[in-house]
Amino acid sequence: MTIPQGFNVYTRADDGVLEQPYEKPVVTPDADDQSPAHHAWADARFATDIMSEHAQFFALLMPPELAAAPRQQALDFAVQFAELHATIDAAGPPEPAEVPAFCNTAIEAIKPFIEYKATLGDAQRDGSLRSLVWPLFFDHTRHEAERWSRRLGQLAAGESGFDRREVVPFWANIMDEHCRFVAHLLDPDEYKLIETALATAGVFAELTGGAGGSLVATAKHPVVVAKAIAHNPEVDEVMSAAREVLDFKTAAARDIEAARITSIIDPRLTDHVRREALKFVDELKRAS
């Protein structure tokens, strides 16, 4: 992997060495870089990899004897997005004049996947699909796909900035659902971790950047919020909570990979959610 100059590469460890075989880096433009071309490349690179992994996770949770056709569709999406990701990664950032077409290519690839997620989410709810994919997981991944489509549309129009009023509610909801997913995938004997995951989910369900949300979260989950604020008291509660959940996910990824945590969580999923937490932190730093 060759990353152009002017981009940050984030890994679990400060030395930049990937923890094999599951860790992937997160690549973002420099903190003061407002170039739509650079943001479009970094975000499309991130989003297409995330979409490919969503499809892989669907396939893992669809027994062939129960959902052969949807499973094959998921595998096809996984290959499609992996190939698009590889193309984007190898080509590097587009020229400024090429940004609209570049973004549109990714948006058009995402559109049918959004429809797939919506259709199968409804089917799982009404019983016409019998997979192991929660309806909420279909919804969760659809919301992410819709958000990346909006973000790429914004970049195609030449706007690279982040709005805190969009960043916080979106990512807080994603972090909330991640924590609930983790709680329900842990071995039932992992009492303390389940409790921590659910309490952290509660923080993100209520801590959405406003003063009222902060007060409610503190009242309902004082230990979790106090720990988050202690993590970095000079920044606001949302950033502290975001960094705390990133640390929680990083530790969980390592412990699941080493089998120190008992669960049915695929190690690729733990690194997936860790990278999304890292993206939350990065966007929050940039948001106005």
Side-chain angles (χ1 to χ4, degrees):
M1 178 185 67
T2 302
I3 302 299
Q5 288 187 340
F7 289 85
N8 303 305
V9 180
Y10 294 105
T11 57
R12 297 180 194 173
D14 292 338
D15 60 10
V17 177
L18 293 176
E19 297 178 7
Q20 301 293 346
Y22 299 109
E23 184 187 8
K24 294 180 182 179
V26 173
V27 178
T28 68
D30 282 345
D32 58 353
D33 188 346
Q34 299 295 323
S35 165
H38 289 178
H39 280 269
W41 181 73
D43 283 349
R45 184 184 179 282
F46 182 86
T48 51
D49 193 33
I50 291 294
M51 294 300 112
S52 180
E53 291 179 343
H54 285 170
Q56 292 171 28
F57 300 145
F58 292 156
L60 286 173
L61 295 167
M62 292 178 175
E65 63 272 24
L66 295 178
R71 182 177 185 275
Q72 186 57 54
Q73 285 180 287
L75 292 170
D76 292 343
F77 276 120
V79 171
Q80 174 191 340
F81 281 109
E83 290 176 348
L84 182 54
H85 170 78
T87 299
I88 290 169
D89 184 52
E95 293 298 321
E98 299 171 348
V99 171
F102 172 87
C103 292
N104 191 59
T105 296
I107 291 169
E108 289 302 312
I110 292 171
K111 282 181 180 178
F113 202 25
I114 291 173
E115 183 177 355
Y116 170 90
K117 291 171 175 179
T119 299
L120 292 193
D122 290 341
Q124 187 73 26
R125 281 190 178 86
D126 68 22
S128 54
L129 173 66
R130 298 291 185 178
S131 76
L132 301 177
V133 186
W134 299 310
L136 181 60
F137 190 49
F138 281 124
D139 292 347
H140 174 94
T141 57
R142 174 173 56 83
H143 294 155
E144 289 188 11
E146 291 168 344
R147 197 274 180 149
W148 288 119
S149 291
R150 292 193 300 271
R151 171 65 179 164
L152 289 167
Q154 173 193 347
L155 289 163
E159 301 175 11
S160 62
F162 290 98
D163 186 339
R164 184 183 172 95
R165 293 169 297 180
E166 186 275 336
V167 169
V168 173
F170 172 77
W171 281 116
N173 182 66
I174 294 298
M175 297 300 109
D176 163 25
E177 292 176 349
H178 279 175
C179 291
R180 286 189 276 148
F181 293 158
V182 168
H184 288 281
L185 290 169
L186 289 166
D187 188 286
D189 280 341
E190 294 278 11
Y191 293 106
K192 289 186 177 181
L193 274 176
I194 292 169
E195 182 179 290
T196 298
L198 291 175
T200 305
V203 169
F204 283 106
E206 294 154 352
L207 186 59
T208 56
S214 299
L215 291 172
V216 171
T218 303
K220 289 190 175 181
H221 311 283
V223 175
V224 175
V225 174
K227 185 178 179 184
I229 294 172
H231 184 283
N232 203 339
E234 72 273 13
V235 299
D236 67 70
E237 293 95 330
V238 178
M239 178 61 85
S240 292
R243 289 176 172 170
E244 185 67 25
V245 80
L246 173 59
D247 287 349
F248 171 76
K249 289 177 176 181
T250 301
R254 288 169 170 157
D255 286 346
I256 286 170
E257 290 168 15
R260 291 188 292 266
I261 291 175
T262 51
S263 73
I264 56 172
I265 302 175
D266 188 305
R268 290 172 294 181
L269 178 59
T270 57
D271 193 66
H272 176 100
V273 300
R274 178 196 65 84
R275 280 178 274 127
E276 291 189 339
L278 204 159
K279 200 74 167 68
F280 178 22
V281 170
D282 181 76
E283 289 188 11
L284 197 54
K285 289 178 183 177
R286 300 173 190 269
S288 58

